[in-house]
Amino acid sequence: MATFGSLSDLDLLTLTQILCRAGRLAALELVQDEQCGWIYFENGRVVLTPCWTRWLASRRLLALLRWKSGRFRVIPGFLCP
């Protein structure tokens, strides 16, 4: 079952730590105004999208972790594309 929420209620760094500690396969969809981002988790680790270079993926992840507002949706069992 997907979980929804607001980043103003649960900050992204805490949410990421929770998903890493859970050690499950999941995707985290983030939406802020007109922007959208995804963070993927597998076995307690953040998985970077393979179609990006590691440098670009790391920069995008850091940019997402700075978001203070917006909405999130956790989708369990979702594989990184």
Side-chain angles (χ1 to χ4, degrees):
M1 172 167 45
T3 302
F4 301 85
S6 171
L7 292 176
S8 60
D9 295 330
L10 182 60
D11 68 271
L12 190 51
L13 185 56
T14 302
L15 183 56
T16 301
Q17 289 174 337
I18 291 168
L19 292 169
C20 284
R21 287 186 182 248
R24 297 204 174 122
L25 184 64
L28 177 60
E29 178 187 34
L30 304 163
V31 178
Q32 181 187 64
D33 300 324
E34 303 298 318
Q35 299 178 351
C36 181
W38 289 83
I39 302 174
Y40 303 95
F41 299 86
E42 188 175 319
N43 298 325
R45 289 195 232 151
V46 172
V47 178
L48 301 178
T49 306
C51 62
W52 291 353
T53 65
R54 181 166 298 284
W55 176 83
L56 182 59
S58 297
R59 288 182 54 92
R60 182 65 179 145
L61 177 60
L62 289 174
L64 289 172
L65 289 174
R66 290 187 186 103
W67 287 14
K68 301 294 182 207
S69 63
R71 299 180 320 275
F72 70 84
R73 177 173 65 146
V74 177
I75 307 167
F78 194 95
L79 281 171
C80 179

